[in-house]
Amino acid sequence: MSSDLTITFAPDMPAATVEVVAPDFQVVGRVMLAGGRSKVVQVPSEATFLRVLMPFGETVTLQDPGNLSRTISKETLSSKLTSRRPGYAEQLESDESSQDRSSLFDLNRYHALRARSLPDIPAGSENTLPLSTFGHARLLSGQTPLPGTSVSRSREAHWRIAGGPLQPPLVLRIERPQEAACEIRIPADADHVWARADRLRDHDGIAFSVRLSTTEPAADTILGYLQRGDLYSAEAMTEWIAESEELLLYKKADPYAAAVGAYLLLRLKRFANLRDWPKNLADRFEFLPDGCVIWAWQLIQQRSADTAQIRNYLIKATERGLPVYAEGLRLLIEGLRLLGKDTATALAGLTDRAGVVVWDSPLTTTIHVAANHAPTADRQPIVYDVAFSARS
Amino acid sequence: MSLVWPASEAAIVTNQPRLHALVVGVADYPHLNGGAGPLALDPLGLSQISTPRHTAPAIAGWLLGAYNNPACPLGSVELLVSPAAQLTLPKAGTRPVESATRARVKASFNRWQARCTTRSDNIAFFYFCGHGLEKSAQFLLPEDFGDPATPNRWENCIDFDGMRTGMRSCAADTQLFFVDACRETPFGVLAQLNVTGDPLITATVTDSVNCSAAYYATTQTRQAYGPDNGVTYFAQAVLSCLNGVAGLNKQGRWIVDTFSLGGAIGQVMTQLARRYRLPLTCNPNVSGMGVIHEAASPRVFAAVGCTSDAANNAAEIVLSKGPVVIRSAPGQVKPIVQEVDAGNWSIDVRFPGGQFPAQPPQQYMLMPPVFEGVPVP
């Protein structure tokens, strides 16, 4: 006999996908919830349980047989998250935050915690911030470095950003003396960006990790799911896109979050949901290459015969610079390849400008060397670990 | 011949939907460091690797012995392994397998693509295991990469991203690509190279594919690539996921599809990284949904440990489900990371030395793909 199960997210919860699972493990519903929101799902049994797919990758299973009205809060989850181990929070206030993390796994857990306790940025802070002894970082708006602050005994650099989403993308530049430099495109709707360097104790190598949050946490959650390949969870977020795309484009004017929604719809081939938003994104926000890429790909996927328009928008994208999102760079390169000789010059220019691309980053992350770089000097394995932070 | 199953080209079914596979494993690079041939003018810091000679046969073996998709059964398997070897495979028996030179990869690719394109309901399955270079595109290195007798140093190099794009011209509407590449070349060296490669196939803007899923291993050191003389960590994750860790219950059938596989491989790699303390990640790029396989039963990648190193060192952890008992004594490596049956498990965490308070055994529901616990000390 089926029943109605009401699932509510307490106001302190981040946007996340919840799977509603029958006792035989069949997923009977997959819904997106955000703080203060509820959903009703018809379930086959009162023994149905929930799985909350947290934006930072951990999954929490909640069993409460017989309860058909379940409220999920941070407190509900905290006792079940292995990343919330007792005493872990104190690390941020202790010397431990200035120690090298032992592995990428440990580093990710550290950043999930750091996202809950971000430092204030005092006025008059530095423009160039050290990343331990391994390099330094600058966050650039055009050519102008933005002030930030250094914490964890100069191992971490933090920036708060207040420019708003109608600004061109920022660039986070991580430089290492005599060695390759890394550039990460940062969406201008970011409100906090931080970078950190660690010598990973468990395996030879240095990790430069970057985390950021934006003013649209649901978009951050989508990018987190996409980065991990969790398309089912990302798919559940299409409801947010349907509700907010128009708002993001026209009222709040956040082309970055709008682009994230459009990339997901493109991936899922939901062209009916996309409508003409990508064209508006391309035409209205000239500082953003991604809109042109999305619109050109909507035309390609819908088998438009208007090859000239596809070509024009792809070329226009290359003229605006590298896309902010790695998905955009991948699609731009693929689109130019498909157009063949007609766009060969633009493709060559783009790949030359991109240099080495760190493809597992959700943001376009490229590595460049100076002309006088001596390649033999750069033999230590380097990991660039870029992700959206979890607001958990 | 690189066709390991069926026995002949004439025996390949092309008038029904089928999965056609091309599996390439390159462990022997004569022109890279430690190779038997003349050394490349610039070997890019690359040397011999052992894991592909085990990984490619493991993938081909899974296809021949375990792949199950009633709507699209196995149609053919092309396998190239360097060094060439005599291999024993399910269905195929013992037979010689040719090495993966560029010419052979190209010839095999052409045959594979021709089979795949015979029907839109075919599945194209491509797995590469060996050295790779990644710039703005992913390049794969066949056995004869770096041959100093070849004036164009990039002639023996395959442009994988170009190939994936070119496969849009292939009629098979579900296309699966696994790039299990060891990418050792430092960023600083890569940035100065103008890498090019042969995409093997081209497409135009009017070509399309319903489902194209690429799963990339993203390890950057040989240590993180795989255990010496074993299967790569990425392939271990792929095989676990195909065997049921990525299974979704759809009307009682445990279906692995392109979406579930992408999410599960990433989670399994995270737990393997935790277990082996290595920088293991996966970068899935999935566009479109396609059913891959029907697993026999649901499996779970369980990672069970305490939440602090001190507690892990002191703990005895016992997982049990019916007659199955998995135990890790104090001082043994934790977390326990193991593929197990899905279902209700009892997890008992004890501290024989009394360092932490005793925990009563707890029942946990282990559901695919991954269980990570437990939230005690």
Side-chain angles (χ1 to χ4, degrees):
Chain A
M1 197 180 87
S2 64
S3 320
D4 283 344
L5 169 66
T6 304
I7 311 161
T8 304
F9 263 22
D12 62 354
M13 283 292 292
T17 293
V18 179
E19 286 182 346
V20 183
V21 187
D24 66 353
F25 295 149
Q26 185 151 343
V27 178
V28 294
R30 203 176 267 116
V31 296
M32 176 255 175
L33 282 165
R37 298 184 68 161
S38 292
K39 288 273 167 60
V40 177
V41 180
Q42 201 165 68
V43 295
S45 153
E46 290 187 3
T48 296
F49 60 94
L50 306 178
R51 299 198 338 148
V52 185
L53 296 116
M54 300 299 288
F56 56 89
E58 203 167 335
T59 301
V60 182
T61 301
L62 299 171
Q63 287 175 290
D64 192 2
N67 182 357
L68 288 171
S69 179
R70 304 189 197 174
T71 299
I72 301 169
S73 66
K74 275 187 184 173
E75 195 183 344
T76 319
L77 299 181
S78 62
S79 63
K80 295 178 182 294
L81 286 166
T82 54
S83 57
R84 300 290 179 262
R85 66 193 195 196
Y88 208 53
E90 286 72 38
Q91 287 183 26
L92 292 177
E93 308 305 325
S94 71
D95 280 353
E96 210 179 330
S97 73
S98 64
Q99 306 288 314
D100 284 316
R101 311 315 301 183
S102 60
S103 64
L104 277 186
F105 185 87
D106 185 35
L107 188 55
N108 279 324
R109 287 290 156 86
Y110 171 82
H111 280 303
L113 180 69
R114 170 57 87 189
R116 296 197 302 170
S117 178
L118 295 168
D120 291 328
I121 314 288
S125 301
E126 298 295 316
N127 291 336
T128 299
L129 297 166
L131 297 174
S132 187
T133 57
F134 306 119
H136 58 268
R138 289 183 297 151
L139 183 61
L140 301 167
S141 172
Q143 295 301 313
T144 309
L146 303 180
T149 196
S150 183
V151 302
S152 298
R153 292 193 191 165
S154 303
R155 185 179 290 279
E156 269 177 45
H158 286 252
W159 294 266
R160 279 199 191 279
I161 302 161
L166 284 176
Q167 304 295 318
L170 309 170
V171 173
L172 176 65
R173 192 171 161 85
I174 295 174
E175 291 162 335
R176 301 159 56 214
Q178 312 292 315
E179 295 183 9
C182 175
E183 289 188 351
I184 302 157
R185 264 71 195 158
I186 304 290
D189 67 349
D191 57 10
H192 201 116
V193 177
W194 72 99
R196 178 184 165 95
D198 291 83
R199 184 186 296 280
L200 300 174
R201 289 198 299 267
D202 287 349
H203 38 83
D204 185 31
I206 295 168
F208 291 98
S209 51
V210 175
R211 296 292 183 274
L212 69 154
S213 60
T214 73
T215 50
E216 287 296 335
D220 300 358
T221 298
I222 288 175
L223 284 165
Y225 290 145
L226 286 178
Q227 186 178 12
R228 288 192 296 281
D230 186 357
L231 272 156
Y232 276 119
S233 295
E235 189 177 31
M237 304 287 287
T238 52
E239 183 186 320
W240 169 80
I241 301 167
E243 284 174 11
S244 35
E245 194 78 5
E246 204 147 332
L247 187 72
L248 290 169
L249 263 180
Y250 303 112
K251 201 166 178 183
K252 290 168 86 172
D254 184 344
Y256 296 95
V260 171
Y263 278 127
L264 175 59
L265 294 177
L266 204 57
R267 192 79 87 85
L268 298 169
K269 300 181 192 291
R270 300 270 185 91
F271 307 120
N273 296 94
L274 272 171
R275 296 189 286 178
D276 60 350
W277 289 333
K279 185 163 191 316
N280 291 336
L281 193 60
D283 292 341
R284 289 187 60 202
F285 303 100
E286 292 189 358
F287 53 78
L288 189 64
D290 299 68
C292 296
V293 178
I294 294 164
W295 176 235
W297 266 93
Q298 185 175 350
L299 294 173
I300 291 171
Q301 299 270 40
Q302 292 187 294
R303 303 186 188 194
S304 164
D306 192 350
T307 311
Q309 189 179 182
I310 294 168
R311 178 191 176 282
N312 289 345
Y313 274 93
L314 290 177
I315 295 289
K316 201 184 281 188
T318 63
E319 290 166 353
R320 291 180 181 180
L322 294 177
V324 174
Y325 301 97
E327 177 85 352
L329 181 60
R330 188 184 291 280
L331 291 173
L332 181 54
I333 291 171
E334 190 173 348
L336 293 171
R337 277 180 188 272
L338 287 170
L339 288 165
K341 286 181 183 164
D342 202 20
T343 51
T345 307
L347 177 60
L350 176 70
T351 54
D352 190 44
R353 208 178 329 152
V356 179
V357 180
V358 180
W359 282 111
D360 49 350
S361 162
L363 297 166
T364 297
T365 300
T366 56
I367 292 163
H368 308 268
V369 289
N372 60 354
H373 174 71
T376 50
D378 191 5
R379 291 287 173 182
Q380 188 157 33
I382 302 291
V383 176
Y384 291 101
D385 172 26
V386 182
F388 281 80
S389 76
R391 293 183 175 213
S392 51
Chain B
M1 267 298 276
S2 57
L3 179 69
V4 295
W5 189 86
S8 69
E9 192 76 32
I12 297 173
V13 174
T14 55
N15 62 354
Q16 296 290 321
R18 290 290 185 269
L19 179 145
H20 298 287
L22 170 56
V23 180
V24 179
V26 191
D28 179 34
Y29 286 92
H31 309 296
L32 299 182
N33 295 318
L39 189 64
L41 296 175
D42 181 359
L44 307 174
L46 304 175
S47 51
Q48 310 305 306
I49 39 179
S50 63
T51 42
R53 76 177 65 184
H54 304 282
T55 302
I59 296 294
W62 182 87
L63 287 163
L64 290 160
Y67 171 70
N68 173 33
N69 184 342
C72 188
L74 187 66
S76 65
V77 178
E78 294 260 350
L79 174 64
L80 294 167
V81 181
S82 292
Q86 193 84 3
L87 294 176
T88 301
L89 296 163
K91 282 189 184 177
T94 301
R95 51 172 304 139
V97 173
E98 290 181 320
S99 66
T101 60
R102 183 193 66 93
R104 288 203 187 97
V105 171
K106 187 164 186 158
S108 293
F109 175 88
N110 289 343
R111 287 192 295 271
W112 168 71
Q113 194 282 137
R115 286 169 209 140
C116 292
T117 204
T118 53
R119 296 179 61 92
S120 63
D121 46 7
N122 280 339
I123 298 176
F125 182 107
F126 175 87
Y127 196 106
F128 176 88
C129 183
H131 275 302
L133 299 171
E134 192 177 49
K135 282 204 72 179
S136 58
Q138 172 74 59
F139 297 91
L140 309 177
L141 309 187
E143 177 194 289
D144 45 358
F145 174 76
D147 184 349
T150 308
N152 175 3
R153 69 190 296 200
W154 304 116
E155 186 172 314
N156 295 336
C157 180
I158 295 161
D159 175 354
F160 169 75
D161 285 350
M163 182 190 110
R164 186 183 173 201
T165 303
M167 281 292 285
R168 292 171 68 88
S169 65
C170 173
D173 249 348
T174 301
Q175 301 181 1
L176 310 173
F177 305 93
F178 299 86
V179 178
D180 191 356
C182 183
R183 301 177 309 173
E184 280 192 293
T185 308
F187 287 129
V189 175
L190 263 179
Q192 293 184 318
L193 299 174
N194 183 21
V195 187
T196 60
D198 183 353
L200 305 175
I201 185 170
T202 57
T204 71
V205 76
T206 55
D207 292 315
S208 68
V209 59
N210 182 50
C211 169
S212 174
Y215 307 91
Y216 301 81
T218 58
T219 51
Q220 276 166 343
T221 64
R222 202 174 339 160
Q223 184 197 14
Y225 190 45
D228 282 344
N229 295 308
V231 173
T232 62
Y233 295 119
F234 178 73
Q236 290 178 33
V238 169
L239 292 172
S240 274
C241 290
L242 290 169
N243 283 330
V245 168
L248 293 175
N249 183 356
K250 296 191 174 174
Q251 280 81 49
R253 297 163 62 209
W254 288 92
I255 303 298
V256 178
D257 61 40
T258 51
F259 284 13
S260 70
L261 186 62
I265 293 176
Q267 290 186 57
V268 171
M269 288 292 274
T270 298
Q271 297 309 327
L272 287 174
R274 185 180 174 198
R275 168 67 181 80
Y276 295 107
R277 297 177 175 263
L278 289 168
L280 306 176
T281 53
C282 161
N283 178 21
N285 183 271
V286 178
S287 176
M289 155 69 79
V291 170
I292 301 171
H293 169 67
E294 186 176 331
S297 62
R299 304 281 290 168
V300 180
F301 215 78
V304 181
C306 302
T307 53
S308 73
D309 290 341
N312 267 334
N313 284 334
E316 178 185 24
I317 300 180
V318 180
L319 281 73
S320 56
K321 180 173 184 275
V324 181
V325 178
I326 301 163
R327 184 186 308 270
S328 175
Q332 288 185 325
V333 175
K334 296 191 188 60
I336 296 172
V337 175
Q338 192 158 336
E339 188 191 310
V340 299
D341 281 338
N344 275 309
W345 285 75
S346 170
I347 300 180
D348 191 2
V349 181
R350 305 167 191 154
F351 297 97
Q355 300 93 328
F356 295 90
Q359 307 286 326
Q362 299 273 328
Q363 293 293 313
Y364 288 91
M365 177 82 80
L366 270 60
M367 177 186 167
V370 163
F371 171 83
E372 189 182 346
V374 289
V376 288

